[in-house]
Structures are given as C-alpha cells and as structure tokens.
Amino acid sequence: MALLLAAMAMVPMVSAYQASSYGPLYSNLDTAAVAQNAQGELSSMGYASTAYTGSPGASNALTRMSSDNVFFFDGHGGAGLLEFPDSFITGKDTGIYPHLQSSNGQLADVVLAVYMACNTAVLSDTYGNVAYQSLVEGVDMSVGWTGTINSAQSEYWSQRFWYWLDERCSVKIAAQRATSDLGDLYGTGNLGGMNNYVCRSNGNCAMTIDPARAGD
Amino acid sequence: MTKINLLKLIGIVIGLSLVLACSVAAAAPDNHDSKSLLSNEPVVTSVKENIQKYTGSPADAINDISLMKTYTGEVYQVTTAADNVFNINVKTGRIETAMIQTGAENSVKGKDLSGMKTVAEAFVEKYYTNFSDKKMAFIGSQIIDHGAMGKEYVYSWNAKSGNAYTLSSASVSFFPDDNRVYYHGTDRELLINTTPKVSQADAQKTGEHAFAMGSAAETQSQLFVIPSGDSQKLTWVVDTVEYDKLGIAHGGSVNIDAISGEVLSTNPFN
C-alpha cells in the first residue's frame, strides 16, 4: 500500500479537461504574461492548462479549440475578428481566414471562452461576431467586449477574473468582482473599457468552472 | 471619418475621478497578497469593528482577510460567509469598496435609471462620511448591458478643483438581476495646485505623437489629480483612437504631466 501511494505521488496528475490561453507578441504589445497567469490559475482549478505565447498560429489555435474546455485569448482584435501574428480568426466564414462558423456545433465541449480584445462582442457585417458565433457553435459561455479596451487595465482585470474563478465564483460574479478590483487599482473612472464586457450564453453565466469541467 | 466609440466617450465623461497612478501604468503587477490574515487577531477585530461602524450591522462570519494594494494605498480585502466582500483602508479603517448583496428594501428591480438614483445616493451617504462636506458633484449615470450577465446601473460622483477631477470620488453599481451592489469611495485631501501649465491642445498633440497617430485619429482629454508617491500630480489623460481597414483600433491612453509636459505613461489598446 505504501509503495502504491509512493508511486501515485510521483506520477503527475493528468486532467481530462483542457484549457488553452493565448498571449501573442505584437509589434507594440506582448500579452505573454497575461496568458501565463491565466494558465497558472486554470491549472490550479484542475485543467491540463497550456499558455501559447510568442507567435501561436490562428489555424492551430482554432483546431485545438474544438478539444478545449476553456479558451482564453488576450491580444488585438476587432469586430468579428481576433488577430494572431500570422492571421486572424473570424466569427463568420469569409473564405479567407480561419473562422468559428461551422454547421456541426464544433465547440460543444467548451464551457468558457474569453476573447479579451477590442470589440469582440460587436457585430461586423463582414466578419461576424466572435462572442455570438461561439454561442452558436456550442460554447456555454463566451465573453467579449463592446468597445476598445486598454492593455494595462485588461491585464489586471484578467488576473482578478481568473483569481475569482479559482475561488469558485461563478463566471458572472468573477467578472463583476474583477471589474470592482480594477476600479480599486486604477480608479472607477479609469477602467480602460473593461466594464463593457458581454457574456453570450443560453443561461445566465452563473456557472462555475472550478473544479475543472467540460461544456454541457 | 472615424467615430470614437460611444461607450469610451461615456466612460471618460462620467468616470473622471480616479486615474491611473504612474506607478501602475506600464504594467499590472499582482497587487494582491494571497497570504491570509485570519490568524492576526488585532486585524480581525479591527475589520469587524469597521464593518459594523460603516454598515450599521455586525459583520457576518469572515471567510478570509488579505492585503491588497489600491491606487491610493493599501486595503484589507475581507470575504464573508454571506458572499460579501469589503475593502477596508488600512490607515483609516474606512470601507472603500463594498461588494454586497442587497436586502429587499434596496431592491432595484423594476426601477429605471433615474428612479434608482435615490437608492444609489442613500448608499453613498451611508458609506462615504463627509459626503456633503466634500461638495461632491454628480457626474452621471449609465446602463451597461452585459448580455446574459444582466444589466448594470452605474452612478458616479466626484469632487473637482477648477477643471481637474480630484481623488475624492464615489460610485455605485447595481446589478438588478442579482440584487447586488458595488460601492467605491475614496476621500483624499487635495495637496497640489490644479492650474495646468501645459495647454489641453499641446497635451493632445503630445498624446497623438506618442502613438504615431494618423490624420483620422479622434482624440480627447481630461485633467486629473493622480497619486504620486506621498504627493499628487496634475495630469492630462489623453485618449486617442483610429481604426485600420479591418476595423482594428490603434492608439490608447497617454498620461502627460500637466506642469512639465513629460509623458508619464502610455497604455495601448488590446
């Protein structure tokens, strides 16, 4: 029995649940530290958690996303698109870039997707709406922003958001508290647009993601 | 012609009060010390007394206490068994942030933005001592739609000196779907003269230059008092934005010393 326990202690636990956090490097912004912080919190919650920094590819990220249970992106974006160093992921199929749109609920295992970039909850006639398209593809809760967001405030908001999720708050309460904590550090009049978060879900975003889980 | 985002504009107009300190502008360090202070009896006693003093009710069971830096000092962040959170100023004992569930008497369901202002004012007057003495000006209110997370009703007050927004401010956010309210209030003495030596036009040019903005840039600015060590600094906060052909925003915020004209920090958009 003692030998068995000793052997178990030496074997790393491998979670059945996967989380991917993206923190690309741009010419004017490096979001690696943000992704790494989220990766640590998600690992603490029990996910097999990986941070992809530097130059992660858009196509690989999209392919991997169908196996993710939590997806997090911090970087540049716009209405209907996420900017990766090599390309974009768009909400709608434009025939040009990797896209979320499919006809088979390809993201049904994702319980939470957070697109921390400018205007990711805004509809573009050309590129669609990243947050809304995720809901259509089966993501339980997808979070985006209406408006521009600043990098310094988004970094701290992210730290606090994943912290509160790791404290077993619901996604809704974690977002509220992260925004409040941001106001403590930067001032309630200087939230850098982070208070304009939007959750797309068929529920009310009151689910927790700790302990690790998959989408319904 | 590029249009500046409306919510950004509203945020600047009503936000006003509290501004990014130079020391936290470049990056966002983890300002939360996760070490629990629950075994520190003097801290626990002090925290309980202050919650009772400012809320008028005994503190419910405390789950945890930790130390957290804010932009104007340090607070004890207190989480309770009733799922409330209080941030208590380490020096003054004042509650500077309360994230609490409201009782039925404060229910905001069914009320509109103006109808809820009375409830918001009652919260601020209860928590913010010297509120009337400070001559706090009502800055504005707005509704933010968080989609499936419900709506948020926001009310803001700020003390001004000349054209500058000082560090004394208060805000209340209601989440009617959850019967939750978030209060923030800081009361700080004004330590500096608030007449700028750098004009608003010059500050905006400097801000645009910092991000190499093009001719389509939309730029606006406000004058703030921000913390600077043990003192304060008069600062122009310049926001500038333009969009590329894909619709991606370029630019961000620039803090500029309103006396020397020095760029204190830049903060690009995601």
Side-chain angles (χ1 to χ4, degrees):
Chain A
M1 185 62 177
L3 279 174
L4 179 61
L5 289 172
M8 287 173 67
M10 287 187 287
V11 177
M13 295 292 286
V14 178
S15 172
Y17 302 105
Q18 176 176 307
S20 298
S21 300
Y22 293 88
L25 171 65
Y26 305 94
S27 61
N28 68 339
L29 184 65
D30 185 358
T31 59
V34 184
Q36 286 160 352
N37 174 267
Q39 179 270 329
E41 295 285 5
L42 285 160
S43 180
S44 169
M45 293 180 223
Y47 292 89
S49 176
T50 307
Y52 299 92
T53 60
S55 300
S59 291
N60 286 343
L62 186 61
T63 302
R64 192 178 295 114
M65 191 176 184
S66 59
S67 304
D68 284 333
N69 303 113
V70 176
F71 177 95
F72 173 53
F73 174 86
D74 177 23
H76 289 316
L81 48 81
L82 307 175
E83 182 179 356
F84 283 74
D86 66 337
S87 184
F88 299 90
I89 291 177
T90 61
K92 198 161 92 175
D93 180 1
T94 64
I96 303 172
Y97 303 117
H99 54 86
L100 295 171
Q101 186 176 8
S102 75
S103 56
N104 57 4
Q106 59 165 340
L107 304 179
D109 287 337
V110 181
V111 64
L112 174 65
V114 179
Y115 306 108
M116 202 168 73
C118 297
N119 293 305
T120 47
V122 173
L123 173 67
S124 157
D125 291 342
T126 307
Y127 303 112
N129 181 323
V130 173
Y132 181 73
Q133 191 65 42
S134 299
L135 173 65
V136 171
E137 300 302 328
V139 175
D140 286 1
M141 299 173 285
S142 64
V143 178
W145 275 262
T146 55
T148 55
I149 59 175
N150 287 94
S151 55
Q153 286 94 330
S154 66
E155 178 172 358
Y156 190 64
W157 188 93
S158 174
Q159 284 180 17
R160 300 305 295 166
F161 177 68
W162 297 110
Y163 165 82
W164 285 116
L165 287 174
D166 194 19
E167 294 290 302
R168 302 202 166 173
C169 288
S170 69
V171 172
K172 178 197 286 192
I173 297 301
Q176 291 175 6
R177 289 185 177 179
T179 308
S180 179
D181 287 343
L182 180 64
D184 290 333
L185 187 61
Y186 283 89
T188 53
N190 189 33
L191 298 175
M194 292 305 294
N195 52 331
N196 297 315
Y197 60 85
V198 169
C199 182
R200 296 298 173 207
S201 173
N202 287 322
N204 60 4
C205 297
M207 294 164 66
T208 59
I209 64 162
D210 181 21
R213 55 164 296 164
D216 286 336
Chain B
M1 186 72 171
T2 303
K3 289 180 100 175
I4 198 157
N5 182 283
L6 179 60
L7 289 172
K8 177 90 175 170
L9 181 63
I10 293 169
I12 286 173
V13 171
I14 74 157
L16 311 172
S17 57
L18 310 167
V19 178
L20 178 62
C22 306
S23 59
V24 297
D30 188 349
N31 287 274
H32 183 225
D33 182 351
S34 57
K35 181 183 170 190
S36 175
L37 298 172
L38 264 184
S39 60
N40 188 327
E41 192 54 38
V43 169
V44 173
T45 302
S46 163
V47 156
K48 285 181 176 175
E49 287 174 354
N50 283 310
I51 289 175
Q52 176 149 11
K53 179 179 176 183
Y54 287 99
T55 64
S57 308
D60 57 293
I62 291 175
N63 278 354
D64 201 7
I65 304 173
S66 55
L67 195 61
M68 195 170 175
K69 287 181 185 171
T70 73
Y71 83 120
T72 56
E74 286 185 321
V75 296
Y76 294 121
Q77 184 161 75
V78 184
T79 55
T80 76
D83 205 20
N84 297 323
V85 181
F86 298 96
N87 289 355
I88 299 173
N89 187 294
V90 170
K91 286 184 179 174
T92 67
R94 282 183 177 170
I95 292 176
E96 296 199 330
T97 302
M99 315 181 209
I100 55 179
Q101 292 201 285
T102 60
E105 72 277 14
N106 290 319
S107 174
V108 290
K109 281 186 177 174
K111 293 179 182 167
D112 60 14
L113 192 64
S114 60
M116 284 162 52
K117 187 184 172 194
T118 307
V119 185
E121 284 173 337
F123 257 95
V124 173
E125 285 168 2
K126 178 177 177 181
Y127 281 92
Y128 198 111
T129 45
N130 305 326
F131 181 74
S132 54
D133 295 344
K134 280 282 179 184
K135 297 179 181 173
M136 301 285 275
F138 181 62
I139 301 303
S141 58
Q142 66 171 326
I143 298 175
I144 303 174
D145 189 346
H146 297 299
M149 290 184 184
K151 290 181 179 172
E152 176 182 3
Y153 292 63
V154 187
Y155 302 83
S156 303
W157 292 261
N158 205 112
K160 285 187 80 173
S161 172
N163 290 323
Y165 294 94
T166 75
L167 291 171
S168 293
S169 67
S171 70
V172 178
S173 285
F174 291 108
F175 291 86
D177 291 349
D178 306 306
N179 272 345
R180 281 183 179 273
V181 59
Y182 289 70
Y183 160 82
H184 287 261
T186 54
D187 183 0
R188 299 289 184 273
E189 186 181 353
L190 179 63
L191 303 176
I192 59 172
N193 183 295
T194 54
T195 303
K197 289 186 177 174
V198 176
S199 71
Q200 185 172 31
D202 285 347
Q204 291 191 177
K205 279 182 195 168
T206 302
E208 290 173 352
H209 181 72
F211 282 118
M213 302 301 284
S215 58
E218 291 278 348
T219 303
Q220 55 191 335
S221 56
Q222 297 281 355
L223 194 60
F224 292 92
V225 175
I226 68 171
S228 178
D230 291 333
S231 186
Q232 296 167 348
K233 197 180 281 286
L234 189 63
T235 304
W236 284 110
V237 177
V238 179
D239 291 285
T240 183
V241 62
E242 63 184 339
Y243 291 87
D244 67 15
K245 61 184 179 183
L246 291 171
I248 293 178
H250 295 276
S253 294
V254 187
N255 281 12
I256 297 163
D257 189 319
I259 304 301
S260 70
E262 176 191 2
V263 173
L264 301 171
S265 63
T266 58
N267 181 10
F269 292 132
N270 277 44

